[in-house]
Amino acid sequence: MNASAPTTVRTRFAPSPSGHLHVGGARTALYCWAYAKARGGSFILRIEDTDQKRSSHAASLGFLEDLRWLGIDWDEGPEFEDCGGGEFGPYFCSKRLDIYHSYIDKLLSEGKAYRAFETPEELQKARKEARANKQNYRYDRAALNLDQATIDKYLAQGKPNVVRFKLPNDQPVTIEDKVRGSVTVDPQELDDFVILKADGFPTYHFAVVVDDELMNISDVIRGQEHLNNTAKHVLIQDALSFKHPNFAHISLIFNPDGSKMSKRDKDKALRKVVKERNIIDSPCDVVNEDWSWWLESKDHQLDIEKATALAETLDVALPEINVDDFRRAGYLPEVLINYLALLGWSPGNDVEKFDREFLVENFSFDRVIKSPAKFDRDKLLAFNLDAIQALSTDEFVKLWRDHCNCYHKEFMDKLSDEQFEMLAAANHPRAKTLDDTFKSSYFFIANDDEIVYEKTKAVRKALCNGEPSGFEHLTALEPLLSQINDWDIQNIKSVVEEYAGQNAAGKLGKVAQPLRIAVSGGPVSPAIFETLTILGRDTVINRIKLCLKVQSDMLSNSNA
RNA sequence: GACCCCAUCGUCUAGUCAGGUCCAGGACAUCAGGUUUUCAUCCUGAAGACAGGGGUUCGAAUCCCCUUGGGGUCGCCA
């Protein structure tokens, strides 16, 4: 190849569809995408479903949705909305079996690979023994010494077998990594690893090398956990006379406690609770049929719906690790993108807030941080708050409505369009996420008899203390509000403000807070005039009366 | 355990490659004041780090070595 010839940049993200897209994967995809975009290249999505036991079609669909939601589009790959397609498919490994087999055959016929007949159990045992003896386990190459007659006999018997790659020599393998520089792996650290499983599927190591070559991938960008594996990949590439792509291994994302943030964290959290509480039988119908299978091995993971159902039954909060978790929690995709990009990369000059375009224009591997980063939810939340506050009211209302449609349908059902719009707008200034205001807005859709007056310090203070007290203000306000014919924010405001001017020395808070509690049951709501307007006169009057009814109860407990 | 990677405030980082302008800058979190009709915001200020030890150098956060600490890998998972 001519050294000066421009090489087309082609990057790929190759997840295994065994769950939802988690934030680490999302960041890898983001870097792949930005790097390709900036250089006029292509970003390819490939589904690495080489594990039949763990792959599911639904999971791979979830990945596509998550990626699209983040605004990461792919030029080639599974077709979804306006993304995907391409000439280098199929983009599912499970549909490329013939291709892998032809290369396996090639290696086999050239003596660069060989069949082995040990069972997984035998290997497991050998590994255990090696560890017990404080030895590093390496496959002993027993199968390499099998004579052809024996092999033929086993094959004729249909004995399960795998294909192993034969390490060519003892030359150290050096990897040039764009993040880490040059890394050398001693071949003593490797052994004749499996490249074709007994079920006829290739292992990841083999599939990834073949696919990257055939799909013309120029830059392999992936998590640091693959750094050691890369030596294997280079060896396979050499054996097959493939070229070496550029490598870039980015560091991992940690949980706040310093452990690796992993797609298995939810599963781990559930197992911990089950163990702690000594739960023997399935506590939740949804998981009944998977229960014993799940308990059997840490490799067996419940799918996300079942895990969520189990978590609900057990009343445990699952850690937020998936892109979809943050979507539900009301984070804006552009904020997640921004934050994720910053977690492992920095544009310098104290720049922190930026959009996708800026990322594409400025992203480069020489500014990728080598050390792992902890995922800091507080900072993400602060970013989200800033972004939400920077939205126009119209934009916020639209997003709030979309979110509501997906996750809080009851608000759409119970409020009129006008009420809904007003509530959304009233919630804008106090929203940190698209989701957090729903919880404190429940009283808007509750029936009057559902309102429970909290007997907390803040409530008592607002209702019982002062001269006149909050209850006294409410008593006086009730007839005044009843007389308002046009129940709009202006009229409510002038009545309440005039009252406060005459009876609370102009201190609106003295009057607003009792009203707030009367209509909501607690001390938290959107701005008071908006709140009263949305609720409507009848509801407001009715709830003030209800509140006044608990007066004696509240007062009698006030010194307790 | 072996191998690989990494190391600046509690956290994310700027500064490191081209050593002096850094008694180390920003952001989040924290704390103290202030604004505000609640919650949330918002404003002002404070505290807070070059893991340790050796070198090299006139000079080291920056270069080298060791130690320590953290992480990853060691699967018929990816």
Side-chain angles (χ1 to χ4, degrees), chain A residues 48 50 118 180 197 352 432 523 525:
Chain A
E48 209 86 21
T50 51
E118 292 84 357
R180 297 179 196 271
K197 305 183 231 180
E352 289 204 309
K432 288 183 170 184
S525 89

PDB file of all heavy atoms in Angstrom, chain A residues 48 50 118 180 197 352 432 523 525, chain B residues 1 5 27 38-41 76-78:
ATOM      1  N   GLU A  48     -22.305  -8.871  17.761  1.00  0.00           N
ATOM      2  CA  GLU A  48     -21.394  -9.984  18.051  1.00  0.00           C
ATOM      3  C   GLU A  48     -22.152 -11.092  18.780  1.00  0.00           C
ATOM      4  O   GLU A  48     -21.911 -11.342  19.958  1.00  0.00           O
ATOM      5  CB  GLU A  48     -20.259  -9.436  18.915  1.00  0.00           C
ATOM      6  CG  GLU A  48     -18.946 -10.147  18.753  1.00  0.00           C
ATOM      7  CD  GLU A  48     -18.111  -9.609  17.593  1.00  0.00           C
ATOM      8  OE1 GLU A  48     -18.320  -8.472  17.136  1.00  0.00           O
ATOM      9  OE2 GLU A  48     -17.237 -10.354  17.151  1.00  0.00           O
ATOM     10  N   THR A  50     -22.082 -14.307  18.976  1.00  0.00           N
ATOM     11  CA  THR A  50     -21.438 -15.616  18.817  1.00  0.00           C
ATOM     12  C   THR A  50     -21.702 -16.527  20.005  1.00  0.00           C
ATOM     13  O   THR A  50     -21.251 -17.653  20.030  1.00  0.00           O
ATOM     14  CB  THR A  50     -19.918 -15.463  18.644  1.00  0.00           C
ATOM     15  OG1 THR A  50     -19.421 -14.634  19.687  1.00  0.00           O
ATOM     16  CG2 THR A  50     -19.577 -14.860  17.309  1.00  0.00           C
ATOM     17  N   GLU A 118     -10.916 -32.337  24.256  1.00  0.00           N
ATOM     18  CA  GLU A 118     -11.155 -32.284  25.703  1.00  0.00           C
ATOM     19  C   GLU A 118     -12.535 -31.684  25.967  1.00  0.00           C
ATOM     20  O   GLU A 118     -12.984 -30.810  25.231  1.00  0.00           O
ATOM     21  CB  GLU A 118     -10.098 -31.426  26.410  1.00  0.00           C
ATOM     22  CG  GLU A 118      -8.708 -32.008  26.416  1.00  0.00           C
ATOM     23  CD  GLU A 118      -7.940 -31.706  25.130  1.00  0.00           C
ATOM     24  OE1 GLU A 118      -8.523 -31.095  24.212  1.00  0.00           O
ATOM     25  OE2 GLU A 118      -6.755 -32.100  25.055  1.00  0.00           O
ATOM     26  N   ARG A 180      -2.272   3.910  24.476  1.00  0.00           N
ATOM     27  CA  ARG A 180      -1.275   3.441  25.441  1.00  0.00           C
ATOM     28  C   ARG A 180       0.143   3.362  24.920  1.00  0.00           C
ATOM     29  O   ARG A 180       1.064   3.039  25.662  1.00  0.00           O
ATOM     30  CB  ARG A 180      -1.674   2.077  25.974  1.00  0.00           C
ATOM     31  CG  ARG A 180      -2.933   2.244  26.690  1.00  0.00           C
ATOM     32  CD  ARG A 180      -3.614   1.136  27.312  1.00  0.00           C
ATOM     33  NE  ARG A 180      -4.951   1.639  27.549  1.00  0.00           N
ATOM     34  CZ  ARG A 180      -5.321   2.269  28.649  1.00  0.00           C
ATOM     35  NH1 ARG A 180      -4.506   2.433  29.642  1.00  0.00           N
ATOM     36  NH2 ARG A 180      -6.542   2.736  28.750  1.00  0.00           N
ATOM     37  N   LYS A 197     -15.819 -23.037  18.571  1.00  0.00           N
ATOM     38  CA  LYS A 197     -16.424 -23.762  19.676  1.00  0.00           C
ATOM     39  C   LYS A 197     -17.075 -25.055  19.189  1.00  0.00           C
ATOM     40  O   LYS A 197     -17.286 -25.243  17.990  1.00  0.00           O
ATOM     41  CB  LYS A 197     -17.492 -22.903  20.350  1.00  0.00           C
ATOM     42  CG  LYS A 197     -16.993 -21.554  20.811  1.00  0.00           C
ATOM     43  CD  LYS A 197     -18.096 -20.810  21.540  1.00  0.00           C
ATOM     44  CE  LYS A 197     -18.270 -19.421  20.996  1.00  0.00           C
ATOM     45  NZ  LYS A 197     -19.320 -18.659  21.671  1.00  0.00           N
ATOM     46  N   GLU A 352     -15.978  22.166  29.205  1.00  0.00           N
ATOM     47  CA  GLU A 352     -16.698  20.995  29.692  1.00  0.00           C
ATOM     48  C   GLU A 352     -18.031  20.768  28.990  1.00  0.00           C
ATOM     49  O   GLU A 352     -18.469  19.636  28.826  1.00  0.00           O
ATOM     50  CB  GLU A 352     -16.985  21.149  31.183  1.00  0.00           C
ATOM     51  CG  GLU A 352     -15.770  21.033  32.047  1.00  0.00           C
ATOM     52  CD  GLU A 352     -16.131  20.620  33.456  1.00  0.00           C
ATOM     53  OE1 GLU A 352     -17.015  21.266  34.053  1.00  0.00           O
ATOM     54  OE2 GLU A 352     -15.553  19.658  33.940  1.00  0.00           O
ATOM     55  N   LYS A 432     -34.809  19.084  37.446  1.00  0.00           N
ATOM     56  CA  LYS A 432     -33.416  18.712  37.204  1.00  0.00           C
ATOM     57  C   LYS A 432     -33.350  17.624  36.137  1.00  0.00           C
ATOM     58  O   LYS A 432     -32.348  17.447  35.461  1.00  0.00           O
ATOM     59  CB  LYS A 432     -32.773  18.175  38.483  1.00  0.00           C
ATOM     60  CG  LYS A 432     -32.503  19.219  39.533  1.00  0.00           C
ATOM     61  CD  LYS A 432     -31.795  18.585  40.716  1.00  0.00           C
ATOM     62  CE  LYS A 432     -31.298  19.658  41.664  1.00  0.00           C
ATOM     63  NZ  LYS A 432     -30.512  19.073  42.773  1.00  0.00           N
ATOM     64  N   PRO A 523     -45.243  20.356  51.782  1.00  0.00           N
ATOM     65  CA  PRO A 523     -44.644  21.676  51.582  1.00  0.00           C
ATOM     66  C   PRO A 523     -43.986  21.891  50.221  1.00  0.00           C
ATOM     67  O   PRO A 523     -43.293  22.872  50.048  1.00  0.00           O
ATOM     68  CB  PRO A 523     -43.594  21.739  52.694  1.00  0.00           C
ATOM     69  CG  PRO A 523     -43.176  20.319  52.876  1.00  0.00           C
ATOM     70  CD  PRO A 523     -44.330  19.453  52.492  1.00  0.00           C
ATOM     71  N   SER A 525     -44.317  22.103  45.977  1.00  0.00           N
ATOM     72  CA  SER A 525     -45.142  22.164  44.760  1.00  0.00           C
ATOM     73  C   SER A 525     -44.520  23.179  43.817  1.00  0.00           C
ATOM     74  O   SER A 525     -43.615  23.904  44.205  1.00  0.00           O
ATOM     75  CB  SER A 525     -46.571  22.585  45.114  1.00  0.00           C
ATOM     76  OG  SER A 525     -46.693  23.995  45.083  1.00  0.00           O
TER      77      SER A 525
ATOM     78  P     G B   1      -0.510 -11.978  45.060  1.00  0.00           P
ATOM     79  OP1   G B   1       0.561 -11.445  45.838  1.00  0.00           O
ATOM     80  OP2   G B   1      -1.334 -11.125  44.223  1.00  0.00           O
ATOM     81  O5'   G B   1       0.024 -13.158  44.102  1.00  0.00           O
ATOM     82  C5'   G B   1       0.901 -14.187  44.545  1.00  0.00           C
ATOM     83  C4'   G B   1       1.066 -15.159  43.418  1.00  0.00           C
ATOM     84  O4'   G B   1      -0.216 -15.787  43.148  1.00  0.00           O
ATOM     85  C3'   G B   1       1.442 -14.514  42.095  1.00  0.00           C
ATOM     86  O3'   G B   1       2.842 -14.379  41.980  1.00  0.00           O
ATOM     87  C2'   G B   1       0.889 -15.502  41.080  1.00  0.00           C
ATOM     88  O2'   G B   1       1.724 -16.630  40.926  1.00  0.00           O
ATOM     89  C1'   G B   1      -0.414 -15.922  41.748  1.00  0.00           C
ATOM     90  N9    G B   1      -1.593 -15.127  41.379  1.00  0.00           N
ATOM     91  C8    G B   1      -2.260 -14.239  42.186  1.00  0.00           C
ATOM     92  N7    G B   1      -3.290 -13.692  41.598  1.00  0.00           N
ATOM     93  C5    G B   1      -3.300 -14.250  40.321  1.00  0.00           C
ATOM     94  C6    G B   1      -4.182 -14.039  39.229  1.00  0.00           C
ATOM     95  O6    G B   1      -5.155 -13.297  39.171  1.00  0.00           O
ATOM     96  N1    G B   1      -3.821 -14.802  38.110  1.00  0.00           N
ATOM     97  C2    G B   1      -2.752 -15.653  38.073  1.00  0.00           C
ATOM     98  N2    G B   1      -2.561 -16.299  36.914  1.00  0.00           N
ATOM     99  N3    G B   1      -1.909 -15.863  39.091  1.00  0.00           N
ATOM    100  C4    G B   1      -2.252 -15.138  40.164  1.00  0.00           C
ATOM    101  P     C B   5       2.251  -2.552  29.908  1.00  0.00           P
ATOM    102  OP1   C B   5       2.831  -1.871  28.741  1.00  0.00           O
ATOM    103  OP2   C B   5       3.048  -2.757  31.135  1.00  0.00           O
ATOM    104  O5'   C B   5       0.917  -1.800  30.344  1.00  0.00           O
ATOM    105  C5'   C B   5      -0.056  -1.440  29.378  1.00  0.00           C
ATOM    106  C4'   C B   5      -1.258  -0.848  30.072  1.00  0.00           C
ATOM    107  O4'   C B   5      -1.805  -1.815  31.009  1.00  0.00           O
ATOM    108  C3'   C B   5      -0.968   0.351  30.973  1.00  0.00           C
ATOM    109  O3'   C B   5      -0.851   1.536  30.213  1.00  0.00           O
ATOM    110  C2'   C B   5      -2.203   0.357  31.851  1.00  0.00           C
ATOM    111  O2'   C B   5      -3.331   0.824  31.156  1.00  0.00           O
ATOM    112  C1'   C B   5      -2.375  -1.135  32.120  1.00  0.00           C
ATOM    113  N1    C B   5      -1.719  -1.567  33.360  1.00  0.00           N
ATOM    114  C2    C B   5      -2.360  -1.297  34.584  1.00  0.00           C
ATOM    115  O2    C B   5      -3.434  -0.684  34.555  1.00  0.00           O
ATOM    116  N3    C B   5      -1.795  -1.703  35.742  1.00  0.00           N
ATOM    117  C4    C B   5      -0.625  -2.357  35.723  1.00  0.00           C
ATOM    118  N4    C B   5      -0.102  -2.744  36.888  1.00  0.00           N
ATOM    119  C5    C B   5       0.056  -2.644  34.488  1.00  0.00           C
ATOM    120  C6    C B   5      -0.519  -2.232  33.339  1.00  0.00           C
ATOM    121  P     A B  27     -15.328  26.814  38.151  1.00  0.00           P
ATOM    122  OP1   A B  27     -16.362  27.842  37.887  1.00  0.00           O
ATOM    123  OP2   A B  27     -14.726  26.704  39.493  1.00  0.00           O
ATOM    124  O5'   A B  27     -15.922  25.381  37.774  1.00  0.00           O
ATOM    125  C5'   A B  27     -16.669  25.218  36.569  1.00  0.00           C
ATOM    126  C4'   A B  27     -17.051  23.762  36.431  1.00  0.00           C
ATOM    127  O4'   A B  27     -15.842  22.974  36.357  1.00  0.00           O
ATOM    128  C3'   A B  27     -17.798  23.175  37.624  1.00  0.00           C
ATOM    129  O3'   A B  27     -19.180  23.471  37.566  1.00  0.00           O
ATOM    130  C2'   A B  27     -17.529  21.694  37.434  1.00  0.00           C
ATOM    131  O2'   A B  27     -18.313  21.152  36.387  1.00  0.00           O
ATOM    132  C1'   A B  27     -16.063  21.721  36.988  1.00  0.00           C
ATOM    133  N9    A B  27     -15.149  21.606  38.144  1.00  0.00           N
ATOM    134  C8    A B  27     -14.452  22.591  38.786  1.00  0.00           C
ATOM    135  N7    A B  27     -13.719  22.156  39.794  1.00  0.00           N
ATOM    136  C5    A B  27     -13.954  20.786  39.807  1.00  0.00           C
ATOM    137  C6    A B  27     -13.483  19.747  40.623  1.00  0.00           C
ATOM    138  N6    A B  27     -12.634  19.920  41.634  1.00  0.00           N
ATOM    139  N1    A B  27     -13.925  18.491  40.370  1.00  0.00           N
ATOM    140  C2    A B  27     -14.781  18.313  39.352  1.00  0.00           C
ATOM    141  N3    A B  27     -15.299  19.206  38.507  1.00  0.00           N
ATOM    142  C4    A B  27     -14.838  20.445  38.786  1.00  0.00           C
ATOM    143  P     U B  38     -39.626  30.605  49.273  1.00  0.00           P
ATOM    144  OP1   U B  38     -38.573  30.861  50.257  1.00  0.00           O
ATOM    145  OP2   U B  38     -39.335  30.758  47.825  1.00  0.00           O
ATOM    146  O5'   U B  38     -40.169  29.137  49.515  1.00  0.00           O
ATOM    147  C5'   U B  38     -40.589  28.730  50.824  1.00  0.00           C
ATOM    148  C4'   U B  38     -40.966  27.280  50.753  1.00  0.00           C
ATOM    149  O4'   U B  38     -42.134  27.137  49.905  1.00  0.00           O
ATOM    150  C3'   U B  38     -39.917  26.391  50.106  1.00  0.00           C
ATOM    151  O3'   U B  38     -38.986  25.959  51.069  1.00  0.00           O
ATOM    152  C2'   U B  38     -40.748  25.239  49.595  1.00  0.00           C
ATOM    153  O2'   U B  38     -41.078  24.336  50.613  1.00  0.00           O
ATOM    154  C1'   U B  38     -42.036  25.945  49.155  1.00  0.00           C
ATOM    155  N1    U B  38     -42.080  26.298  47.725  1.00  0.00           N
ATOM    156  C2    U B  38     -42.321  25.274  46.834  1.00  0.00           C
ATOM    157  O2    U B  38     -42.459  24.117  47.182  1.00  0.00           O
ATOM    158  N3    U B  38     -42.392  25.651  45.517  1.00  0.00           N
ATOM    159  C4    U B  38     -42.253  26.914  45.024  1.00  0.00           C
ATOM    160  O4    U B  38     -42.354  27.099  43.817  1.00  0.00           O
ATOM    161  C5    U B  38     -41.990  27.928  46.010  1.00  0.00           C
ATOM    162  C6    U B  38     -41.917  27.583  47.300  1.00  0.00           C
ATOM    163  P     C B  39     -37.457  25.806  50.663  1.00  0.00           P
ATOM    164  OP1   C B  39     -36.736  25.464  51.902  1.00  0.00           O
ATOM    165  OP2   C B  39     -37.050  26.974  49.856  1.00  0.00           O
ATOM    166  O5'   C B  39     -37.470  24.519  49.715  1.00  0.00           O
ATOM    167  C5'   C B  39     -37.797  23.227  50.244  1.00  0.00           C
ATOM    168  C4'   C B  39     -37.914  22.248  49.104  1.00  0.00           C
ATOM    169  O4'   C B  39     -39.069  22.592  48.290  1.00  0.00           O
ATOM    170  C3'   C B  39     -36.762  22.280  48.108  1.00  0.00           C
ATOM    171  O3'   C B  39     -35.663  21.519  48.561  1.00  0.00           O
ATOM    172  C2'   C B  39     -37.419  21.658  46.881  1.00  0.00           C
ATOM    173  O2'   C B  39     -37.513  20.256  46.996  1.00  0.00           O
ATOM    174  C1'   C B  39     -38.813  22.268  46.944  1.00  0.00           C
ATOM    175  N1    C B  39     -38.914  23.504  46.145  1.00  0.00           N
ATOM    176  C2    C B  39     -39.355  23.390  44.820  1.00  0.00           C
ATOM    177  O2    C B  39     -39.657  22.268  44.396  1.00  0.00           O
ATOM    178  N3    C B  39     -39.447  24.494  44.052  1.00  0.00           N
ATOM    179  C4    C B  39     -39.110  25.678  44.562  1.00  0.00           C
ATOM    180  N4    C B  39     -39.219  26.740  43.770  1.00  0.00           N
ATOM    181  C5    C B  39     -38.646  25.822  45.903  1.00  0.00           C
ATOM    182  C6    C B  39     -38.560  24.712  46.649  1.00  0.00           C
ATOM    183  P     A B  40     -34.173  22.130  48.377  1.00  0.00           P
ATOM    184  OP1   A B  40     -33.265  21.059  48.806  1.00  0.00           O
ATOM    185  OP2   A B  40     -34.090  23.464  48.989  1.00  0.00           O
ATOM    186  O5'   A B  40     -34.054  22.314  46.802  1.00  0.00           O
ATOM    187  C5'   A B  40     -34.090  21.171  45.946  1.00  0.00           C
ATOM    188  C4'   A B  40     -34.305  21.613  44.532  1.00  0.00           C
ATOM    189  O4'   A B  40     -35.488  22.443  44.434  1.00  0.00           O
ATOM    190  C3'   A B  40     -33.220  22.499  43.947  1.00  0.00           C
ATOM    191  O3'   A B  40     -32.086  21.741  43.569  1.00  0.00           O
ATOM    192  C2'   A B  40     -33.953  23.084  42.753  1.00  0.00           C
ATOM    193  O2'   A B  40     -34.096  22.129  41.725  1.00  0.00           O
ATOM    194  C1'   A B  40     -35.329  23.362  43.376  1.00  0.00           C
ATOM    195  N9    A B  40     -35.372  24.728  43.914  1.00  0.00           N
ATOM    196  C8    A B  40     -35.110  25.153  45.189  1.00  0.00           C
ATOM    197  N7    A B  40     -35.206  26.459  45.350  1.00  0.00           N
ATOM    198  C5    A B  40     -35.552  26.916  44.087  1.00  0.00           C
ATOM    199  C6    A B  40     -35.798  28.207  43.590  1.00  0.00           C
ATOM    200  N6    A B  40     -35.731  29.314  44.325  1.00  0.00           N
ATOM    201  N1    A B  40     -36.120  28.314  42.276  1.00  0.00           N
ATOM    202  C2    A B  40     -36.177  27.205  41.533  1.00  0.00           C
ATOM    203  N3    A B  40     -35.962  25.934  41.897  1.00  0.00           N
ATOM    204  C4    A B  40     -35.651  25.859  43.194  1.00  0.00           C
ATOM    205  P     U B  41     -30.685  22.470  43.413  1.00  0.00           P
ATOM    206  OP1   U B  41     -29.730  21.453  43.007  1.00  0.00           O
ATOM    207  OP2   U B  41     -30.402  23.344  44.576  1.00  0.00           O
ATOM    208  O5'   U B  41     -31.003  23.366  42.153  1.00  0.00           O
ATOM    209  C5'   U B  41     -30.283  24.540  41.922  1.00  0.00           C
ATOM    210  C4'   U B  41     -31.092  25.435  41.019  1.00  0.00           C
ATOM    211  O4'   U B  41     -32.280  25.877  41.717  1.00  0.00           O
ATOM    212  C3'   U B  41     -30.363  26.710  40.663  1.00  0.00           C
ATOM    213  O3'   U B  41     -29.520  26.478  39.545  1.00  0.00           O
ATOM    214  C2'   U B  41     -31.512  27.654  40.350  1.00  0.00           C
ATOM    215  O2'   U B  41     -32.049  27.390  39.077  1.00  0.00           O
ATOM    216  C1'   U B  41     -32.533  27.244  41.419  1.00  0.00           C
ATOM    217  N1    U B  41     -32.430  28.028  42.672  1.00  0.00           N
ATOM    218  C2    U B  41     -32.725  29.375  42.620  1.00  0.00           C
ATOM    219  O2    U B  41     -33.066  29.941  41.597  1.00  0.00           O
ATOM    220  N3    U B  41     -32.605  30.051  43.813  1.00  0.00           N
ATOM    221  C4    U B  41     -32.234  29.519  45.025  1.00  0.00           C
ATOM    222  O4    U B  41     -32.174  30.249  46.016  1.00  0.00           O
ATOM    223  C5    U B  41     -31.946  28.109  44.997  1.00  0.00           C
ATOM    224  C6    U B  41     -32.049  27.431  43.854  1.00  0.00           C
ATOM    225  P     C B  76     -12.144 -21.922  27.013  1.00  0.00           P
ATOM    226  OP1   C B  76     -12.697 -21.990  28.335  1.00  0.00           O
ATOM    227  OP2   C B  76     -11.170 -22.919  26.664  1.00  0.00           O
ATOM    228  O5'   C B  76     -13.377 -22.033  26.005  1.00  0.00           O
ATOM    229  C5'   C B  76     -13.277 -21.461  24.757  1.00  0.00           C
ATOM    230  C4'   C B  76     -14.633 -21.677  24.137  1.00  0.00           C
ATOM    231  O4'   C B  76     -14.686 -23.046  23.658  1.00  0.00           O
ATOM    232  C3'   C B  76     -15.744 -21.493  25.167  1.00  0.00           C
ATOM    233  O3'   C B  76     -16.642 -20.562  24.610  1.00  0.00           O
ATOM    234  C2'   C B  76     -16.380 -22.907  25.327  1.00  0.00           C
ATOM    235  O2'   C B  76     -17.794 -22.907  25.207  1.00  0.00           O
ATOM    236  C1'   C B  76     -15.849 -23.661  24.095  1.00  0.00           C
ATOM    237  N1    C B  76     -15.543 -25.050  24.373  1.00  0.00           N
ATOM    238  C2    C B  76     -16.325 -25.992  23.696  1.00  0.00           C
ATOM    239  O2    C B  76     -17.216 -25.618  22.930  1.00  0.00           O
ATOM    240  N3    C B  76     -16.073 -27.313  23.892  1.00  0.00           N
ATOM    241  C4    C B  76     -15.108 -27.678  24.720  1.00  0.00           C
ATOM    242  N4    C B  76     -14.897 -28.982  24.867  1.00  0.00           N
ATOM    243  C5    C B  76     -14.319 -26.729  25.429  1.00  0.00           C
ATOM    244  C6    C B  76     -14.566 -25.425  25.228  1.00  0.00           C
ATOM    245  P     C B  77     -18.070 -20.189  24.975  1.00  0.00           P
ATOM    246  OP1   C B  77     -18.669 -20.908  26.107  1.00  0.00           O
ATOM    247  OP2   C B  77     -18.688 -20.320  23.689  1.00  0.00           O
ATOM    248  O5'   C B  77     -18.026 -18.648  25.232  1.00  0.00           O
ATOM    249  C5'   C B  77     -17.485 -18.002  26.288  1.00  0.00           C
ATOM    250  C4'   C B  77     -18.304 -16.766  26.386  1.00  0.00           C
ATOM    251  O4'   C B  77     -18.074 -16.160  27.657  1.00  0.00           O
ATOM    252  C3'   C B  77     -17.932 -15.695  25.377  1.00  0.00           C
ATOM    253  O3'   C B  77     -18.529 -15.901  24.122  1.00  0.00           O
ATOM    254  C2'   C B  77     -18.481 -14.466  26.080  1.00  0.00           C
ATOM    255  O2'   C B  77     -19.881 -14.391  25.897  1.00  0.00           O
ATOM    256  C1'   C B  77     -18.187 -14.773  27.552  1.00  0.00           C
ATOM    257  N1    C B  77     -16.934 -14.163  28.038  1.00  0.00           N
ATOM    258  C2    C B  77     -17.056 -12.965  28.755  1.00  0.00           C
ATOM    259  O2    C B  77     -18.183 -12.492  28.917  1.00  0.00           O
ATOM    260  N3    C B  77     -15.948 -12.364  29.239  1.00  0.00           N
ATOM    261  C4    C B  77     -14.754 -12.914  29.031  1.00  0.00           C
ATOM    262  N4    C B  77     -13.700 -12.299  29.537  1.00  0.00           N
ATOM    263  C5    C B  77     -14.597 -14.131  28.293  1.00  0.00           C
ATOM    264  C6    C B  77     -15.701 -14.710  27.811  1.00  0.00           C
ATOM    265  P     A B  78     -17.946 -15.358  22.773  1.00  0.00           P
ATOM    266  OP1   A B  78     -18.861 -15.799  21.715  1.00  0.00           O
ATOM    267  OP2   A B  78     -16.515 -15.677  22.692  1.00  0.00           O
ATOM    268  O5'   A B  78     -18.057 -13.776  22.950  1.00  0.00           O
ATOM    269  C5'   A B  78     -19.291 -13.087  22.806  1.00  0.00           C
ATOM    270  C4'   A B  78     -19.079 -11.676  23.294  1.00  0.00           C
ATOM    271  O4'   A B  78     -18.483 -11.727  24.615  1.00  0.00           O
ATOM    272  C3'   A B  78     -18.075 -10.869  22.478  1.00  0.00           C
ATOM    273  O3'   A B  78     -18.681 -10.245  21.375  1.00  0.00           O
ATOM    274  C2'   A B  78     -17.575  -9.853  23.500  1.00  0.00           C
ATOM    275  O2'   A B  78     -18.490  -8.819  23.692  1.00  0.00           O
ATOM    276  C1'   A B  78     -17.508 -10.710  24.761  1.00  0.00           C
ATOM    277  N9    A B  78     -16.187 -11.328  24.945  1.00  0.00           N
ATOM    278  C8    A B  78     -15.705 -12.479  24.402  1.00  0.00           C
ATOM    279  N7    A B  78     -14.480 -12.778  24.762  1.00  0.00           N
ATOM    280  C5    A B  78     -14.124 -11.730  25.596  1.00  0.00           C
ATOM    281  C6    A B  78     -12.945 -11.442  26.304  1.00  0.00           C
ATOM    282  N6    A B  78     -11.856 -12.219  26.274  1.00  0.00           N
ATOM    283  N1    A B  78     -12.906 -10.310  27.043  1.00  0.00           N
ATOM    284  C2    A B  78     -13.991  -9.539  27.061  1.00  0.00           C
ATOM    285  N3    A B  78     -15.167  -9.700  26.441  1.00  0.00           N
ATOM    286  C4    A B  78     -15.163 -10.829  25.719  1.00  0.00           C
TER     287        A B  78
END
